[in-house]
Amino acid sequence: MLLAIDCGNTNTVFSIWNGKTFIATWRCSTDHKRTADEYFVWLSTLMSLNKVEAVITSAIISSTVPRVVFNLRVLTDRYFNCRPLVVGKPECALPVPPRVDQGTTVGSDRLVNTVAGFDRHGGDLIVVDFGTATTFDVVDQDGAYIGGVIAPGVNLSLQALSMAAAALPHVDVSHPTTAIGKNTVACMQSGVYWGYIGLVEGICRQIRLEHPRPMKVIATGGLAPLFQQGTEIFDAIEDDLTMRGLVLINELNKERETA
């Protein structure tokens, strides 16, 4: 079975793929100080509590936090006796290489989302990922990542607002019933929610103006369903896009090994 690991700036997700479906998914906070032994104790305990009987034979890692990759490599080497693929490394092949400025390093999460988005929806695609940062990935007609946009994430913006303005509290992201807030919390929630709706719609509109063909827009990330309530820009919401991309990249590399 495959252990797919998606390490983001905030959370790290572990999923077990049995060849047909994900049989288990768990997440923990991302911490570069967490050792391979700590990862294994945590992961094996969850597997036991959930009665997940899985023999891990391969692993793949996508990480936007370079410092955690070493301990994740050690985890798979030491406890599962398999050398992981790491997306973005030269030895990890992609279906189509990205087409960006020479010397540019593309985040592995964006490459993985591109692969999964193209597999499910074809090319000429915008993938909007609501993570720690809100990213827009542009997928060409042949499945190549050709660039995109990076904006501050929703929760990051809320934290910055409450930290920079002493009189403003920290609030949760929600879909306000009206745009005009009648109190401080409602005003902040409206500003963030409708502000990000405007940001997403505006950036997607500009990307479409610059692209030579019509484009679909799909969204992923935990906040995607919430923002879908306020806009018709999205053609689809994909909850497990990143993990599906990891599975596809792993399968591609295994096929090349046996070819």
Side-chain angles (χ1 to χ4, degrees), residues 19 46 50 93 121 126 131 136 149 163-164 169 184 220-221 226 244 256:
L46 286 172
N50 289 273
H121 300 278
I126 303 171
F136 300 74
V149 176
M163 288 175 62
T184 301
T220 188
L226 177 65
R244 291 286 179 177
R256 293 192 176 188

Side-chain angles (χ1 to χ4, degrees), residues 21-243:
T21 188
F22 290 106
I23 61 173
T25 296
W26 301 289
R27 67 182 59 228
C28 64
S29 58
T30 299
D31 183 357
H32 71 274
K33 294 181 290 185
R34 186 173 283 120
T35 66
D37 301 328
E38 290 173 315
Y39 277 122
F40 180 71
V41 169
W42 172 81
L43 189 58
S44 60
T45 300
L46 286 172
M47 292 174 67
S48 177
L49 288 172
N50 289 273
K51 296 181 171 57
V52 175
E53 298 181 2
V55 178
I56 304 300
T57 56
S58 58
I60 185 168
I61 300 168
S62 168
S63 177
T64 59
V65 186
R67 288 191 293 177
V68 306
V69 174
F70 174 77
N71 281 318
L72 291 173
R73 280 181 179 269
V74 174
L75 166 70
T76 59
D77 279 334
R78 179 180 297 168
Y79 291 105
F80 300 115
N81 195 32
C82 60
R83 182 174 180 82
L85 282 168
V86 179
V87 179
K89 298 295 183 182
E91 63 272 16
C92 182
L94 298 172
V96 184
R99 291 194 289 271
V100 293
D101 291 343
Q102 188 173 2
T104 299
T105 300
V106 180
S108 60
D109 56 332
R110 310 186 77 177
L111 296 173
V112 172
N113 285 347
T114 294
V115 171
F118 179 74
D119 179 73
R120 288 189 166 180
H121 300 278
D124 296 322
L125 193 67
I126 303 171
V127 181
V128 184
D129 189 348
F130 292 93
T132 304
T134 301
T135 59
F136 300 74
D137 304 324
V138 181
V139 185
D140 210 354
Q141 61 181 342
D142 63 347
Y145 171 88
I146 58 172
V149 176
I150 301 175
V154 180
N155 286 309
L156 191 63
S157 296
L158 278 171
Q159 291 171 12
L161 187 61
S162 62
M163 288 175 62
L168 297 180
H170 178 74
V171 299
D172 294 327
V173 185
S174 66
H175 182 186
T177 55
T178 60
I180 302 173
K182 300 295 187 180
N183 56 67
T184 301
V185 170
C187 289
M188 293 174 65
Q189 289 175 330
S190 179
V192 168
Y193 187 84
W194 294 114
Y196 267 85
I197 291 293
L199 179 144
V200 170
E201 290 180 343
I203 290 177
C204 289
R205 180 172 61 250
Q206 187 60 37
I207 290 173
R208 282 171 160 167
L209 287 173
E210 297 176 9
H211 196 72
R213 292 172 297 277
M215 306 183 80
K216 292 181 181 178
V217 180
I218 65 170
T220 188
L223 292 175
L226 177 65
F227 283 96
Q228 185 188 31
Q229 298 172 21
T231 181
E232 297 180 355
I233 193 73
F234 302 129
D235 294 288
I237 302 292
E238 298 283 2
D239 294 332
D240 60 350
L241 194 70
T242 304
M243 285 301 171

